[in-house]
Amino acid sequence: MKVAIASDHGGLNIREEIKGLLDKLGIEYEDFGCDCETSVDYPDYALPVAEKVASGEFDRGILICGTGIGMSISANKVKGIRCALVHDVFSAKATREHNDSNILAMGERVIGPGLALEIAKTWLQTEYQAGRHANRVGKISEYENKTL
Ligand code: RB5
């Protein structure tokens, strides 16, 4: 699995923690910034990561900002992206199993690094169940194909 990761200034610390987790799990990744602690605009980081995942160059993406909200709104504008904003372990598992989410968004001003790592690990290691969920996810793609 190849993961694209990015954050704005509000998500720098958790991004670094997650890179450590990816190293520990032996998961290949590329860091798409941001590179400094000064204020940046989250769409500038969410959209390139979302495009890399949508194109198939990367299998999954992880985005962190202050709340995770700006990152998730931005990423979900890209066709083929199912970005889940997650702040608990139950949802991390459920969104992989049910929604086949391909990007995980989290907010560093919402949760601490310990929980963020548990969420990321669960999300990375949970498989999509397909089955009854495939029809539902398929309806999202059908809508995208008609409108985007
Ligand atoms: C930056 O101050 C903050 O707005 C951003 O990190 C994020 O929370 C946006 O949704």
Side-chain angles (χ1 to χ4, degrees):
M1 185 196 304
K2 244 176 110 182
V3 174
I5 186 166
S7 76
D8 71 358
H9 54 286
L12 280 177
N13 300 314
I14 283 183
R15 189 183 87 216
E16 290 310 306
E17 297 270 356
I18 289 175
K19 282 161 61 181
L21 172 71
L22 293 168
D23 285 332
K24 216 165 84 186
L25 295 176
I27 295 176
E28 196 185 334
Y29 66 87
E30 193 171 328
D31 183 352
F32 289 88
C34 67
D35 290 330
C36 61
E37 287 176 25
T38 53
S39 192
V40 296
D41 300 332
Y42 54 80
D44 294 340
Y45 298 90
L47 295 170
V49 163
E51 284 180 351
K52 296 275 178 198
V53 174
S55 73
E57 195 181 329
F58 287 79
D59 304 296
R60 307 262 197 100
I62 299 180
L63 295 169
I64 307 107
C65 63
T67 59
I69 297 170
M71 287 294 198
S72 59
I73 291 173
S74 306
N76 278 318
K77 297 293 178 196
V78 176
K79 187 177 174 181
I81 292 305
R82 293 177 299 281
C83 176
L85 172 58
V86 174
H87 289 131
D88 67 278
V89 176
F90 173 82
S91 301
K93 186 165 180 281
T95 190
R96 282 292 309 136
E97 288 178 343
H98 294 201
N99 316 122
D100 195 19
S101 53
N102 48 15
I103 297 189
L104 169 69
M106 292 183 285
E108 182 171 316
R109 295 174 189 159
V110 182
I111 53 171
L115 179 53
L117 288 175
E118 278 304 304
I119 288 168
K121 190 173 174 199
T122 302
W123 185 79
L124 288 162
Q125 294 181 335
T126 304
E127 291 300 321
Y128 175 44
Q129 281 181 348
R132 70 185 192 279
H133 305 294
N135 195 39
R136 297 158 187 170
V137 173
K139 286 185 178 185
I140 300 170
S141 307
E142 265 172 44
Y143 180 79
E144 281 182 327
N145 289 336
K146 272 195 307 206
T147 57
L148 298 180

